[in-house]
Amino acid sequence: MSIASTQRSVPAEDAPKSNFQIYRDGGTTPEIRLTINLVLAARKWRALTDERLRLVGQSSARMEALAAIMNSPWPSSQIDIAKRLRIEGPTMTRMLDTLEADGLVERLPDPADRRTKQLRLTAAGEKVLEEIFAIADELRERLLEGVAPETMDELNKFLVMLTDRLDAGLPE
């Protein structure tokens, strides 16, 4: 007797629906809603901050790079900053080229490795980042108005856990 013939067949109406089938039929699940809402909130936040930062010639990508350089232990290499931001090396290189051309970042030779560049903000870079933070802080304050600190703590723990899982690679 083959394995196929020994398996009990489940009537189609009794078989659990896949997430695709649920979504196609106009339904949803908590898991679908969560992942969609994460993506939509992140996109909207980035679009809003970019819209406001564009008025001062900046962007959220530049803010992230400047903040990562400032907040990283010294010395930090270009590769370290790219990993911290979870972006590819060539993307980081292009960003640093513009930040350096604008006088906001310095690339310094690493005395231990000629191929590596260490990064640091210039005084102008710190000033620009402070201006960027003022804009982002005002938006963040309005966004999170009325959200209890405990709620933010729980959400931060949850988001860190998701990020850690994604960084570790999802199990097969």
Side-chain angles (χ1 to χ4, degrees):
M1 184 178 275
S2 75
I3 293 174
S5 65
T6 61
Q7 293 177 339
R8 183 172 82 83
S9 64
V10 177
E13 64 273 0
D14 292 340
K17 288 185 173 182
S18 70
N19 280 343
F20 171 75
Q21 291 166 325
I22 293 168
Y23 201 69
R24 182 191 60 208
D25 294 342
T28 189
T29 66
E31 296 84 1
I32 291 172
R33 282 193 310 274
L34 175 63
T35 53
I36 288 173
N37 285 328
L38 280 170
V39 169
L40 294 177
R43 277 189 195 150
K44 185 62 181 174
W45 171 251
R46 190 169 187 103
L48 181 64
T49 55
D50 277 338
E51 179 183 307
R52 290 289 303 278
L53 291 174
R54 217 176 347 268
L55 299 174
V56 295
Q58 301 302 327
S59 68
S60 50
R62 288 169 65 98
M63 173 180 68
E64 292 162 7
L66 292 169
I69 293 167
M70 182 182 77
N71 200 26
S72 291
W74 174 259
S76 286
S77 70
Q78 191 168 317
I79 294 167
D80 295 334
I81 301 299
K83 285 179 183 174
R84 183 176 177 146
L85 292 173
R86 294 166 177 83
I87 61 175
E88 298 296 322
T91 303
M92 186 79 226
T93 298
R94 286 190 302 276
M95 174 62 68
L96 290 173
D97 288 345
T98 62
L99 293 172
E100 188 176 38
D102 291 345
L104 305 179
V105 170
E106 291 180 304
R107 288 176 169 136
L108 305 167
D110 183 335
D113 183 352
R114 294 180 314 180
R115 299 165 298 167
T116 301
K117 298 292 183 191
Q118 297 172 344
L119 303 174
R120 79 170 167 213
L121 293 188
T122 63
E126 281 202 35
K127 184 177 182 331
V128 164
L129 187 56
E130 186 174 10
E131 293 168 2
I132 288 170
F133 261 71
I135 292 167
D137 286 348
E138 186 265 332
L139 293 172
R140 189 178 299 110
E141 186 177 308
R142 289 172 41 206
L143 175 67
L144 299 174
E145 183 179 342
V147 178
E150 302 80 28
T151 301
M152 283 189 258
D153 288 343
E154 286 301 313
L155 286 169
N156 277 315
K157 287 177 192 172
F158 177 70
L159 292 171
V160 166
M161 182 264 307
L162 290 181
T163 302
D164 289 347
R165 284 183 180 182
L166 291 167
D167 284 346
L170 299 177
E172 291 299 324

